[in-house]
Short mmCIF file of all heavy atoms in Angstrom, two decimals:
data_model
loop_
_atom_site.label_atom_id
_atom_site.label_comp_id
_atom_site.label_asym_id
_atom_site.label_seq_id
_atom_site.Cartn_x
_atom_site.Cartn_y
_atom_site.Cartn_z
N ASN A 1 12.08 -2.27 12.05
CA ASN A 1 13.30 -1.79 11.43
C ASN A 1 13.75 -2.76 10.34
O ASN A 1 13.40 -3.93 10.35
CB ASN A 1 14.40 -1.58 12.47
CG ASN A 1 14.87 -2.86 13.12
OD1 ASN A 1 15.64 -3.62 12.52
ND2 ASN A 1 14.42 -3.11 14.33
N LEU A 2 14.49 -2.21 9.41
CA LEU A 2 15.07 -2.98 8.31
C LEU A 2 16.58 -2.97 8.48
O LEU A 2 17.20 -1.91 8.49
CB LEU A 2 14.68 -2.39 6.96
CG LEU A 2 15.37 -2.97 5.72
CD1 LEU A 2 15.02 -4.44 5.54
CD2 LEU A 2 14.98 -2.17 4.47
N LYS A 3 17.15 -4.15 8.62
CA LYS A 3 18.60 -4.27 8.74
C LYS A 3 19.13 -4.98 7.49
O LYS A 3 18.65 -6.05 7.13
CB LYS A 3 18.98 -5.05 9.99
CG LYS A 3 20.48 -5.14 10.20
CD LYS A 3 20.82 -5.86 11.48
CE LYS A 3 22.33 -5.92 11.68
NZ LYS A 3 22.69 -6.66 12.88
N THR A 4 20.09 -4.35 6.85
CA THR A 4 20.73 -4.91 5.66
C THR A 4 22.22 -5.09 5.95
O THR A 4 22.87 -4.15 6.41
CB THR A 4 20.56 -3.98 4.44
OG1 THR A 4 19.18 -3.68 4.27
CG2 THR A 4 21.12 -4.59 3.18
N VAL A 5 22.71 -6.27 5.70
CA VAL A 5 24.14 -6.56 5.85
C VAL A 5 24.62 -7.19 4.54
O VAL A 5 24.06 -8.17 4.08
CB VAL A 5 24.44 -7.51 7.03
CG1 VAL A 5 25.92 -7.83 7.10
CG2 VAL A 5 23.95 -6.91 8.34
N ILE A 6 25.64 -6.58 3.95
CA ILE A 6 26.20 -7.09 2.70
C ILE A 6 27.65 -7.46 2.97
O ILE A 6 28.43 -6.64 3.45
CB ILE A 6 26.11 -6.05 1.57
CG1 ILE A 6 24.64 -5.67 1.33
CG2 ILE A 6 26.76 -6.57 0.29
CD1 ILE A 6 24.44 -4.53 0.35
N ASN A 7 28.00 -8.70 2.65
CA ASN A 7 29.38 -9.15 2.81
C ASN A 7 29.78 -10.01 1.61
O ASN A 7 29.00 -10.18 0.69
CB ASN A 7 29.57 -9.91 4.14
CG ASN A 7 28.63 -11.08 4.26
OD1 ASN A 7 28.41 -11.84 3.32
ND2 ASN A 7 28.05 -11.25 5.45
N GLN A 8 30.96 -10.56 1.64
CA GLN A 8 31.48 -11.36 0.51
C GLN A 8 30.65 -12.61 0.24
O GLN A 8 30.67 -13.14 -0.86
CB GLN A 8 32.93 -11.78 0.80
CG GLN A 8 33.93 -10.65 0.82
CD GLN A 8 34.13 -10.03 -0.54
OE1 GLN A 8 33.81 -8.86 -0.74
NE2 GLN A 8 34.66 -10.77 -1.49
N LYS A 9 29.93 -13.08 1.21
CA LYS A 9 29.18 -14.32 1.09
C LYS A 9 27.75 -14.11 0.59
O LYS A 9 27.24 -14.89 -0.22
CB LYS A 9 29.16 -15.01 2.46
CG LYS A 9 28.63 -16.40 2.47
CD LYS A 9 28.80 -16.98 3.87
CE LYS A 9 27.94 -18.21 4.07
NZ LYS A 9 27.98 -18.69 5.44
N SER A 10 27.07 -13.04 1.09
CA SER A 10 25.67 -12.86 0.78
C SER A 10 25.17 -11.46 1.12
O SER A 10 25.88 -10.65 1.71
CB SER A 10 24.84 -13.88 1.57
OG SER A 10 25.03 -13.68 2.96
N ILE A 11 23.91 -11.22 0.73
CA ILE A 11 23.17 -10.03 1.13
C ILE A 11 22.12 -10.53 2.12
O ILE A 11 21.33 -11.41 1.80
CB ILE A 11 22.51 -9.34 -0.07
CG1 ILE A 11 23.57 -8.85 -1.05
CG2 ILE A 11 21.63 -8.18 0.40
CD1 ILE A 11 23.02 -8.29 -2.35
N ASN A 12 22.16 -9.99 3.32
CA ASN A 12 21.26 -10.44 4.39
C ASN A 12 20.31 -9.33 4.78
O ASN A 12 20.74 -8.19 4.97
CB ASN A 12 22.07 -10.86 5.62
CG ASN A 12 23.08 -11.94 5.28
OD1 ASN A 12 22.72 -13.09 5.12
ND2 ASN A 12 24.34 -11.55 5.14
N ILE A 13 19.03 -9.69 4.93
CA ILE A 13 18.05 -8.71 5.37
C ILE A 13 17.26 -9.26 6.54
O ILE A 13 17.04 -10.46 6.67
CB ILE A 13 17.09 -8.28 4.25
CG1 ILE A 13 16.35 -9.49 3.68
CG2 ILE A 13 17.80 -7.53 3.16
CD1 ILE A 13 15.00 -9.12 3.17
N GLN A 14 16.86 -8.35 7.38
CA GLN A 14 16.02 -8.68 8.52
C GLN A 14 15.03 -7.53 8.69
O GLN A 14 15.44 -6.37 8.80
CB GLN A 14 16.90 -8.82 9.76
CG GLN A 14 16.19 -9.31 10.97
CD GLN A 14 17.17 -9.53 12.13
OE1 GLN A 14 18.37 -9.26 12.02
NE2 GLN A 14 16.65 -9.98 13.24
N PHE A 15 13.74 -7.83 8.65
CA PHE A 15 12.70 -6.80 8.81
C PHE A 15 11.98 -7.11 10.12
O PHE A 15 10.96 -7.79 10.13
CB PHE A 15 11.74 -6.80 7.62
CG PHE A 15 11.04 -5.50 7.42
CD1 PHE A 15 11.36 -4.68 6.37
CD2 PHE A 15 10.05 -5.09 8.30
CE1 PHE A 15 10.71 -3.47 6.18
CE2 PHE A 15 9.40 -3.89 8.12
CZ PHE A 15 9.73 -3.07 7.06
N TYR A 16 12.57 -6.61 11.21
CA TYR A 16 12.05 -6.91 12.53
C TYR A 16 10.74 -6.16 12.77
O TYR A 16 10.65 -5.00 12.39
CB TYR A 16 13.09 -6.51 13.59
CG TYR A 16 12.70 -6.90 14.98
CD1 TYR A 16 12.96 -8.18 15.45
CD2 TYR A 16 12.05 -6.02 15.82
CE1 TYR A 16 12.58 -8.56 16.73
CE2 TYR A 16 11.67 -6.39 17.09
CZ TYR A 16 11.93 -7.65 17.54
OH TYR A 16 11.55 -8.03 18.79
N PRO A 17 9.73 -6.73 13.36
CA PRO A 17 9.62 -8.02 14.00
C PRO A 17 9.06 -9.12 13.08
O PRO A 17 8.85 -10.24 13.52
CB PRO A 17 8.63 -7.74 15.14
CG PRO A 17 7.71 -6.72 14.60
CD PRO A 17 8.57 -5.87 13.69
N PHE A 18 8.82 -8.81 11.83
CA PHE A 18 8.21 -9.78 10.91
C PHE A 18 9.18 -10.85 10.44
O PHE A 18 8.81 -12.00 10.27
CB PHE A 18 7.60 -9.06 9.71
CG PHE A 18 6.62 -8.00 10.12
CD1 PHE A 18 6.93 -6.66 9.99
CD2 PHE A 18 5.41 -8.35 10.68
CE1 PHE A 18 6.02 -5.69 10.39
CE2 PHE A 18 4.50 -7.39 11.10
CZ PHE A 18 4.81 -6.05 10.95
N ILE A 19 10.42 -10.46 10.20
CA ILE A 19 11.47 -11.42 9.83
C ILE A 19 12.53 -11.30 10.91
O ILE A 19 13.34 -10.39 10.91
CB ILE A 19 12.06 -11.09 8.43
CG1 ILE A 19 10.97 -11.12 7.37
CG2 ILE A 19 13.17 -12.07 8.10
CD1 ILE A 19 11.41 -10.62 6.02
N ARG A 20 12.51 -12.23 11.85
CA ARG A 20 13.40 -12.14 13.01
C ARG A 20 14.79 -12.68 12.73
O ARG A 20 15.77 -12.15 13.23
CB ARG A 20 12.79 -12.89 14.19
CG ARG A 20 11.56 -12.19 14.71
CD ARG A 20 10.93 -12.92 15.84
NE ARG A 20 9.71 -12.25 16.21
CZ ARG A 20 9.29 -12.13 17.45
NH1 ARG A 20 9.98 -12.63 18.43
NH2 ARG A 20 8.17 -11.51 17.70
N LYS A 21 14.87 -13.73 11.94
CA LYS A 21 16.18 -14.28 11.57
C LYS A 21 16.54 -13.73 10.19
O LYS A 21 15.69 -13.70 9.29
CB LYS A 21 16.13 -15.81 11.52
CG LYS A 21 15.91 -16.44 12.86
CD LYS A 21 15.89 -17.95 12.77
CE LYS A 21 15.62 -18.56 14.13
NZ LYS A 21 15.52 -20.01 14.05
N PRO A 22 17.77 -13.30 10.00
CA PRO A 22 18.15 -12.73 8.70
C PRO A 22 17.93 -13.71 7.55
O PRO A 22 18.22 -14.89 7.66
CB PRO A 22 19.65 -12.43 8.87
CG PRO A 22 19.86 -12.35 10.34
CD PRO A 22 18.87 -13.28 10.97
N LYS A 23 17.40 -13.15 6.44
CA LYS A 23 17.28 -13.91 5.20
C LYS A 23 18.54 -13.65 4.41
O LYS A 23 18.93 -12.51 4.20
CB LYS A 23 16.10 -13.39 4.36
CG LYS A 23 14.78 -13.96 4.68
CD LYS A 23 13.78 -13.47 3.63
CE LYS A 23 12.44 -14.10 3.84
NZ LYS A 23 11.47 -13.65 2.84
N ALA A 24 19.18 -14.71 3.95
CA ALA A 24 20.42 -14.58 3.20
C ALA A 24 20.16 -14.82 1.71
O ALA A 24 19.52 -15.80 1.34
CB ALA A 24 21.46 -15.56 3.71
N PHE A 25 20.64 -13.91 0.89
CA PHE A 25 20.59 -14.05 -0.56
C PHE A 25 22.03 -14.21 -1.04
O PHE A 25 22.82 -13.27 -0.97
CB PHE A 25 19.92 -12.83 -1.20
CG PHE A 25 18.52 -12.61 -0.70
CD1 PHE A 25 18.26 -11.70 0.31
CD2 PHE A 25 17.45 -13.35 -1.21
CE1 PHE A 25 16.96 -11.50 0.78
CE2 PHE A 25 16.16 -13.16 -0.74
CZ PHE A 25 15.92 -12.25 0.26
N LEU A 26 22.36 -15.40 -1.48
CA LEU A 26 23.73 -15.72 -1.87
C LEU A 26 24.07 -15.07 -3.21
O LEU A 26 23.23 -14.98 -4.11
CB LEU A 26 23.90 -17.24 -1.96
CG LEU A 26 23.61 -18.03 -0.69
CD1 LEU A 26 23.72 -19.53 -0.94
CD2 LEU A 26 24.55 -17.60 0.44
N TRP A 27 25.32 -14.65 -3.33
CA TRP A 27 25.79 -14.02 -4.56
C TRP A 27 25.63 -14.95 -5.76
O TRP A 27 25.32 -14.50 -6.85
CB TRP A 27 27.25 -13.58 -4.42
CG TRP A 27 27.40 -12.43 -3.46
CD1 TRP A 27 27.90 -12.47 -2.19
CD2 TRP A 27 27.01 -11.08 -3.69
NE1 TRP A 27 27.85 -11.23 -1.62
CE2 TRP A 27 27.32 -10.35 -2.52
CE3 TRP A 27 26.44 -10.40 -4.76
CZ2 TRP A 27 27.07 -8.98 -2.39
CZ3 TRP A 27 26.18 -9.04 -4.64
CH2 TRP A 27 26.50 -8.34 -3.47
N GLU A 28 25.80 -16.23 -5.56
CA GLU A 28 25.73 -17.18 -6.67
C GLU A 28 24.32 -17.29 -7.26
O GLU A 28 24.15 -17.78 -8.37
CB GLU A 28 26.22 -18.56 -6.22
CG GLU A 28 25.41 -19.14 -5.09
CD GLU A 28 26.18 -20.13 -4.24
OE1 GLU A 28 27.36 -19.88 -3.97
OE2 GLU A 28 25.57 -21.14 -3.84
N ASP A 29 23.30 -16.80 -6.52
CA ASP A 29 21.92 -16.84 -7.00
C ASP A 29 21.50 -15.55 -7.72
O ASP A 29 20.39 -15.46 -8.24
CB ASP A 29 20.96 -17.11 -5.84
CG ASP A 29 21.19 -18.46 -5.19
OD1 ASP A 29 21.63 -19.39 -5.91
OD2 ASP A 29 20.95 -18.58 -3.98
N ILE A 30 22.38 -14.56 -7.71
CA ILE A 30 22.06 -13.25 -8.27
C ILE A 30 22.60 -13.12 -9.69
O ILE A 30 23.77 -13.40 -9.95
CB ILE A 30 22.62 -12.12 -7.37
CG1 ILE A 30 21.98 -12.22 -5.97
CG2 ILE A 30 22.37 -10.76 -7.99
CD1 ILE A 30 22.59 -11.31 -4.93
N LYS A 31 21.71 -12.69 -10.59
CA LYS A 31 22.09 -12.52 -11.99
C LYS A 31 22.69 -11.13 -12.24
O LYS A 31 23.71 -10.99 -12.91
CB LYS A 31 20.85 -12.71 -12.89
CG LYS A 31 21.14 -12.60 -14.37
CD LYS A 31 19.96 -13.06 -15.22
CE LYS A 31 18.84 -12.07 -15.17
NZ LYS A 31 17.73 -12.39 -16.09
N LYS A 32 22.04 -10.08 -11.69
CA LYS A 32 22.56 -8.72 -11.82
C LYS A 32 21.98 -7.85 -10.71
O LYS A 32 20.98 -8.22 -10.08
CB LYS A 32 22.25 -8.12 -13.19
CG LYS A 32 20.78 -7.87 -13.46
CD LYS A 32 20.57 -7.22 -14.83
CE LYS A 32 19.10 -6.93 -15.03
NZ LYS A 32 18.84 -6.20 -16.25
N ILE A 33 22.60 -6.69 -10.50
CA ILE A 33 22.18 -5.76 -9.45
C ILE A 33 22.18 -4.35 -10.01
O ILE A 33 23.03 -3.99 -10.83
CB ILE A 33 23.13 -5.83 -8.23
CG1 ILE A 33 23.11 -7.23 -7.62
CG2 ILE A 33 22.75 -4.79 -7.19
CD1 ILE A 33 24.02 -7.40 -6.43
N GLU A 34 21.24 -3.55 -9.51
CA GLU A 34 21.16 -2.15 -9.93
C GLU A 34 20.88 -1.27 -8.72
O GLU A 34 20.01 -1.57 -7.91
CB GLU A 34 20.04 -1.99 -10.97
CG GLU A 34 19.89 -0.59 -11.49
CD GLU A 34 18.76 -0.44 -12.49
OE1 GLU A 34 17.93 -1.37 -12.61
OE2 GLU A 34 18.70 0.60 -13.15
N LEU A 35 21.63 -0.18 -8.59
CA LEU A 35 21.36 0.85 -7.59
C LEU A 35 20.56 1.92 -8.31
O LEU A 35 21.05 2.50 -9.29
CB LEU A 35 22.66 1.41 -7.01
CG LEU A 35 22.51 2.44 -5.88
CD1 LEU A 35 21.78 1.85 -4.68
CD2 LEU A 35 23.86 2.98 -5.47
N THR A 36 19.34 2.16 -7.86
CA THR A 36 18.45 3.00 -8.64
C THR A 36 17.49 3.82 -7.78
O THR A 36 17.30 3.53 -6.60
CB THR A 36 17.64 2.13 -9.63
OG1 THR A 36 16.88 2.95 -10.49
CG2 THR A 36 16.70 1.18 -8.89
N LYS A 37 16.90 4.81 -8.41
CA LYS A 37 15.83 5.59 -7.80
C LYS A 37 14.52 4.92 -8.21
O LYS A 37 14.39 4.47 -9.34
CB LYS A 37 15.89 7.02 -8.32
CG LYS A 37 15.14 8.00 -7.50
CD LYS A 37 15.52 9.42 -7.89
CE LYS A 37 14.97 10.32 -6.82
NZ LYS A 37 15.73 11.49 -6.57
N TYR A 38 13.57 4.83 -7.30
CA TYR A 38 12.30 4.19 -7.61
C TYR A 38 11.17 4.91 -6.88
O TYR A 38 11.42 5.81 -6.08
CB TYR A 38 12.34 2.70 -7.24
CG TYR A 38 12.39 2.41 -5.75
CD1 TYR A 38 11.29 1.87 -5.09
CD2 TYR A 38 13.54 2.65 -5.00
CE1 TYR A 38 11.33 1.60 -3.74
CE2 TYR A 38 13.58 2.37 -3.65
CZ TYR A 38 12.47 1.86 -3.02
OH TYR A 38 12.51 1.59 -1.68
N GLN A 39 9.93 4.53 -7.18
CA GLN A 39 8.77 5.15 -6.55
C GLN A 39 8.06 4.09 -5.69
O GLN A 39 7.27 3.30 -6.21
CB GLN A 39 7.82 5.68 -7.61
CG GLN A 39 8.43 6.79 -8.44
CD GLN A 39 7.49 7.24 -9.54
OE1 GLN A 39 6.91 6.42 -10.25
NE2 GLN A 39 7.32 8.55 -9.66
#
């Protein structure tokens, strides 16, 4: 399963069972974001 949690501090993802502890992507490290359709 893929778990995504977005809060004021970061974007966190966990791809169980391969990524057991959430990976945090801090907002301060992000340049831009796009919600898009992809293939």
Side-chain angles (χ1 to χ4, degrees):
N1 67 77
L2 172 63
K3 183 177 180 183
T4 307
V5 177
I6 301 174
N7 57 42
Q8 292 292 116
K9 190 175 164 186
S10 61
I11 297 174
N12 303 284
I13 58 150
Q14 187 176 2
F15 204 108
Y16 186 84
F18 305 108
I19 301 171
R20 291 179 184 217
K21 294 181 182 177
K23 275 187 176 180
F25 301 98
L26 301 176
W27 290 106
E28 60 206 40
D29 297 330
I30 299 171
K31 182 169 72 174
K32 67 178 182 174
I33 299 179
E34 181 181 13
L35 184 61
T36 187
K37 197 167 193 148
Y38 69 109
Q39 297 177 313

